[in-house]
Amino acid sequence: MPQVASVNVGRARTIWWRGRTVTTAIWKAPIAGRVPVRGVNLAGDEQADRRVHGGPRMSLYAYGLDDYRWWESTLGRPVGPGSFGDNLTIAGLDPSAALIGERWSVGSAVVQVTAPRIPCFKLGIRMDDEAFPRRFAAALRPGTYLAIVQEGEVAAGDPVEVVHRPDHQVEVRTVARAYHDDRSLVPQLLEVPELPPSWREWAEEHLPGPAGRRGGRAG
């Protein structure tokens, strides 16, 4: 059965980057013991800017252990859990292949898959490579944001069970592909009732042809 390989938390910190200060909480580290899942995050975790990371629809971020192994092979160096800002590193399940609206039982909590991670410049800071956000996007291994449906506790080793699968086939990876390089997929997104409002607005603005109204980035 899929399980939690690592639970990762981190506090916001202010760093100096390219002549200015930047506040970020992308530095996450594994934590031992059972961690409460409540409100809009894990206990002990912070998000620096909840307009784009955090809030009720992006309370947690999950990334796959197999994806970490792929990056280690690709980059030729170790990449530890939490390096991409993930709160849950998951073994035996591909978060990017989860369906939008899918629900997981994780420990005693229940969470819902909401949207892919869209990398920003802070991921480049974390990986010490300004070009890394583009590499991350091109790899189509975005991981997924999660909403908290039922509060509880989670720890490394807890099973992850898919307890609900919605009646559509739009994966988290499909949304990422539509955003980054394949606008022909956008109409599929609008058929998903569970698509977050910000992503629905983005999809309506980016419909192929005259129906679309080109707009800003989804959060």
Side-chain angles (χ1 to χ4, degrees):
M1 176 178 286
Q3 65 177 25
V4 178
S6 179
V7 179
N8 317 299
V9 301
R11 297 289 189 181
R13 64 176 72 177
T14 300
I15 61 173
W16 186 255
W17 181 78
R18 296 182 64 177
R20 64 187 177 103
T21 57
V22 174
T23 301
T24 177
I26 198 171
W27 271 268
K28 311 290 186 188
I31 186 171
R34 305 205 65 75
V35 182
V37 179
R38 63 192 179 203
V40 292
N41 55 11
L42 292 176
D45 188 55
E46 291 183 344
Q47 299 104 1
D49 185 351
R50 289 186 177 172
R51 294 172 302 172
V52 292
H53 301 290
R57 294 185 178 86
M58 296 184 289
S59 299
L60 286 75
Y61 174 52
Y63 205 66
L65 184 61
D66 285 344
D67 292 315
Y68 268 107
R69 291 169 176 161
W70 184 86
W71 280 112
E72 288 182 333
S73 176
T74 299
L75 299 173
R77 60 180 174 86
V79 185
S83 294
F84 296 139
D86 46 306
N87 301 112
L88 302 177
T89 308
I90 305 294
L93 182 151
D94 181 1
S96 302
L99 302 180
I100 300 297
E102 186 173 295
R103 292 189 177 189
W104 304 343
S105 171
V106 185
S108 59
V110 176
V111 296
Q112 180 167 318
V113 171
T114 58
R117 163 78 168 278
I118 302 300
C120 71
F121 73 98
K122 293 180 180 179
L123 182 58
I125 296 174
R126 175 66 180 86
M127 299 300 290
D128 196 26
D129 178 1
E130 289 187 23
F132 191 79
R134 291 190 295 274
R135 295 185 68 178
F136 186 89
L140 287 176
R141 296 170 178 265
T144 187
Y145 283 114
L146 303 166
I148 299 170
V149 176
Q150 174 183 301
E151 296 183 342
E153 293 183 339
V154 63
D158 280 351
V160 178
E161 181 183 359
V162 178
V163 295
H164 169 72
R165 286 177 65 85
D167 188 24
H168 63 76
Q169 297 301 314
V170 176
E171 299 180 348
V172 173
R173 183 178 286 112
T174 306
V175 180
R177 286 182 59 200
Y179 181 87
H180 291 300
D181 60 18
D182 191 350
R183 293 290 196 263
S184 70
L185 297 172
V186 170
Q188 294 183 37
L189 275 55
L190 292 172
E191 297 175 1
V192 177
E194 300 88 350
L195 191 72
S198 61
W199 274 102
R200 183 166 298 280
E201 180 181 354
W202 177 88
E204 290 171 347
E205 292 171 343
H206 289 81
L207 278 168
R213 310 183 310 279
R214 185 167 183 81
R217 169 176 170 169

